[in-house]
Amino acid sequence: ITLPVSPSWLRHTGPMSGQVETLTDLPNLYLFGLPGVGKTFCGELLERDLGCSFHDGDQWLPDDLRETLKRGQSFTEEQRDRYVAEIARCIQVAKDTEQQEALRGGFPARPLAVAQATFKRRHRQQIRQRHPEMTFVWVRANEEARLRRLAQWGSVVDAQLGRTMKMDFEAPGLDEKHLVFYNDQDEIEDLQRKSEAFVQNLHETLGSEVTCCTGSG
């Protein structure tokens, strides 16, 4: 099942070379997917190159959940439920802050880009219900690149835990409207060229159709 998305906000105001200009009327974006696919990298580029207000959902992680990750364990259902409620609350705070700053400055509010793995379908649905205007983007990468990134980054989620966590991730179901973005630009070493490739891929992704499907891991 596909639902067409109007591409009216995909007007690019500058050339692809050099500094990338901001997209017009970019929607609020929710980037989800497995650890290591590059959600934070995508969010940082959205902020730097396209003027979004980026928020790494991991920064909203309660202390006891941080300790769980440090022990190399997955979250319990109670922890996930509590965390998703906090994510939804923090998104509202971020939206309110952007609106207030826009009113004070006399300029349009920046769109949000929120990155958080959000493994469970029901949790994504809860965030969708609280923030129905958000466009959900499933960020993906090939498994070899994903595990290599986790090993190189030295984060709390290493390659071993990343393999385990994949078992817990629920791919979007039949009723989940979402876009799919493949973050596979590891072969591009120059950051500017990587940024341009990212924006080009983002144009193609956001200008495509919202998909309702069952995806593989």
Side-chain angles (χ1 to χ4, degrees), residues 58-84 86 156 161:
D58 289 348
Q59 299 303 310
W60 301 328
L61 200 64
D63 290 340
D64 65 308
L65 273 70
R66 293 182 189 276
E67 292 301 318
T68 297
L69 290 178
K70 289 179 181 178
R71 293 193 298 270
Q73 300 172 347
S74 296
F75 296 151
T76 66
E77 287 305 304
E78 184 276 333
Q79 286 177 317
R80 286 196 176 100
D81 289 344
R82 184 156 38 90
Y83 185 25
V84 77
E86 180 64 8
V156 174
L161 182 55

Side-chain angles (χ1 to χ4, degrees), residues 58-149:
D58 289 348
Q59 299 303 310
W60 301 328
L61 200 64
D63 290 340
D64 65 308
L65 273 70
R66 293 182 189 276
E67 292 301 318
T68 297
L69 290 178
K70 289 179 181 178
R71 293 193 298 270
Q73 300 172 347
S74 296
F75 296 151
T76 66
E77 287 305 304
E78 184 276 333
Q79 286 177 317
R80 286 196 176 100
D81 289 344
R82 184 156 38 90
Y83 185 25
V84 77
E86 180 64 8
I87 291 171
R89 185 192 70 81
C90 289
I91 289 174
Q92 187 60 56
V93 171
K95 290 197 294 190
D96 292 344
T97 299
E98 287 300 323
Q99 289 291 340
Q100 292 164 8
E101 292 181 355
L103 287 173
R104 283 196 297 267
F107 48 76
R110 293 184 300 170
L112 300 186
V114 176
Q116 215 292 314
T118 322
F119 280 29
K120 302 300 182 181
R121 297 185 188 114
R122 64 186 180 88
H123 291 148
R124 296 192 294 268
Q125 182 59 23
Q126 288 173 26
I127 294 172
R128 226 184 282 268
Q129 289 173 348
R130 286 281 302 274
H131 305 284
E133 85 291 344
M134 296 198 86
T135 295
F136 278 64
V137 182
W138 183 13
V139 182
R140 307 187 66 179
N142 71 71
E143 188 66 0
E144 181 181 353
R146 186 180 79 86
L147 296 176
R148 182 175 63 248
R149 293 168 186 169

Side-chain angles (χ1 to χ4, degrees), residues 11-201:
R11 298 184 295 274
H12 197 272
T13 58
M16 287 304 298
S17 60
Q19 180 63 37
V20 179
E21 299 294 337
T22 302
L23 294 179
T24 302
D25 300 328
L26 191 69
N28 291 330
L29 300 172
Y30 191 93
L31 313 174
F32 70 96
L34 285 167
V37 295
K39 300 180 297 294
T40 298
F41 171 77
C42 293
E44 289 172 345
L45 287 184
L46 282 164
E47 181 170 70
R48 192 193 74 179
D49 291 344
L50 299 178
C52 289
S53 174
F54 171 58
H55 298 269
D56 183 349
D58 289 348
Q59 299 303 310
W60 301 328
L61 200 64
D63 290 340
D64 65 308
L65 273 70
R66 293 182 189 276
E67 292 301 318
T68 297
L69 290 178
K70 289 179 181 178
R71 293 193 298 270
Q73 300 172 347
S74 296
F75 296 151
T76 66
E77 287 305 304
E78 184 276 333
Q79 286 177 317
R80 286 196 176 100
D81 289 344
R82 184 156 38 90
Y83 185 25
V84 77
E86 180 64 8
I87 291 171
R89 185 192 70 81
C90 289
I91 289 174
Q92 187 60 56
V93 171
K95 290 197 294 190
D96 292 344
T97 299
E98 287 300 323
Q99 289 291 340
Q100 292 164 8
E101 292 181 355
L103 287 173
R104 283 196 297 267
F107 48 76
R110 293 184 300 170
L112 300 186
V114 176
Q116 215 292 314
T118 322
F119 280 29
K120 302 300 182 181
R121 297 185 188 114
R122 64 186 180 88
H123 291 148
R124 296 192 294 268
Q125 182 59 23
Q126 288 173 26
I127 294 172
R128 226 184 282 268
Q129 289 173 348
R130 286 281 302 274
H131 305 284
E133 85 291 344
M134 296 198 86
T135 295
F136 278 64
V137 182
W138 183 13
V139 182
R140 307 187 66 179
N142 71 71
E143 188 66 0
E144 181 181 353
R146 186 180 79 86
L147 296 176
R148 182 175 63 248
R149 293 168 186 169
L150 290 175
Q152 292 173 345
W153 291 344
S155 66
V156 174
V157 180
D158 58 16
Q160 181 176 350
L161 182 55
R163 290 188 184 94
T164 302
M165 295 177 85
K166 183 179 180 182
M167 305 290 292
D168 293 333
F169 182 79
E170 295 178 354
L174 293 173
D175 59 344
E176 276 196 75
K177 291 184 291 185
H178 66 282
L179 297 169
V180 179
F181 180 78
Y182 290 93
N183 183 34
D184 289 321
Q185 290 103 29
D186 285 16
E187 74 283 357
I188 304 176
E189 296 183 0
D190 179 74
L191 183 59
Q192 181 61 41
R193 287 183 55 228
K194 182 176 289 190
S195 173
E196 292 173 3
F198 165 79
V199 173
Q200 181 61 49
N201 288 346

